[in-house]
Amino acid sequence: MLWQKAKPLVENLNEQQKARLTTWLVDQRSQGDPAPEISPESLKYAIQKPNLQVHKRAKRLLKLIVSKSEFIGAVVDINRATPSPYAWSESTIWEEIVYLINYLRDNGWLDVMGTRNKLLEDVFLTQNTVTVAGFNHIAELESAGDSTQAFVAMWFSPEVRQVYDQGIIPAVEAAGFNPYRVDQKDFLDKIDDQIIAEIRRSRFLIADMTHGDEGARGSVYFEAGFALGLGIPVIYTCRSDMYDCLHFDTRQYPHIEWKKEDIEAFRHNLENKIRATIV
């Protein structure tokens, strides 16, 4: 039903807007949603985002080639007629993909079969092998410095569902990041291991200190402290009536307060804080 509402808008998009929407879909799948739905709201958000910078497009293409490498030294074909290279690199024409492959090769991250003079816009397929430097580069991209993930540490209660859905998620996404909450993903590892791994992968952490009658959420304090120890920025939030309940070890940090009756103001303030803090 959501797709049917958005379909007429999708049909009227120009090529650049379609490319940005495709980037959004790829990112949603990368974050664990195998079938992201295009709603009018998500469509508006996706097409209003700025175009990806060229170096980011190249790195995404490299990630695609790595994902298709079945073993070290494998040759991966990038075909002019295959949709995935366009989708991953936000490209609209084959010449852009060739340009990005040249960029990856010139940086030493790809070995491209054939000479530079043969890698022209009239070729229909390139054969590529990821170098050791390329694999190392992808490993570095998994670190927090290049991550688009924002880890959200908070009380998993219906009492705070509204602020997460209507405040935190749209604020994080509007600032160009993807929110991650550990209770909303399926995984096989121990939850403690998963939390530590995902914090390491995150660009920053949002710690909401709101709690119920049982007292402060020790896990939220732990996750915030762990992120600080790694040098990962932490943005603190709390419900306005909880401010006096904050522990002394975080009270000295500024907190963005929120009220159920004015989530929109909180969303705006959080988005501005992310934009001002995370560079």
Side-chain angles (χ1 to χ4, degrees), residues 235-250:
I235 297 175
Y236 296 91
T237 69
C238 72
R239 199 170 62 203
S240 56
D241 63 322
M242 290 275 106
Y243 193 80
D244 292 337
C245 301
L246 296 173
H247 282 205
F248 72 94
D249 49 358
T250 61

Side-chain angles (χ1 to χ4, degrees), residues 118-129:
K118 291 181 180 179
L119 192 59
L120 301 174
E121 64 273 9
D122 58 347
V123 299
F124 291 89
L125 178 145
T126 67
Q127 294 181 306
N128 314 274
T129 300

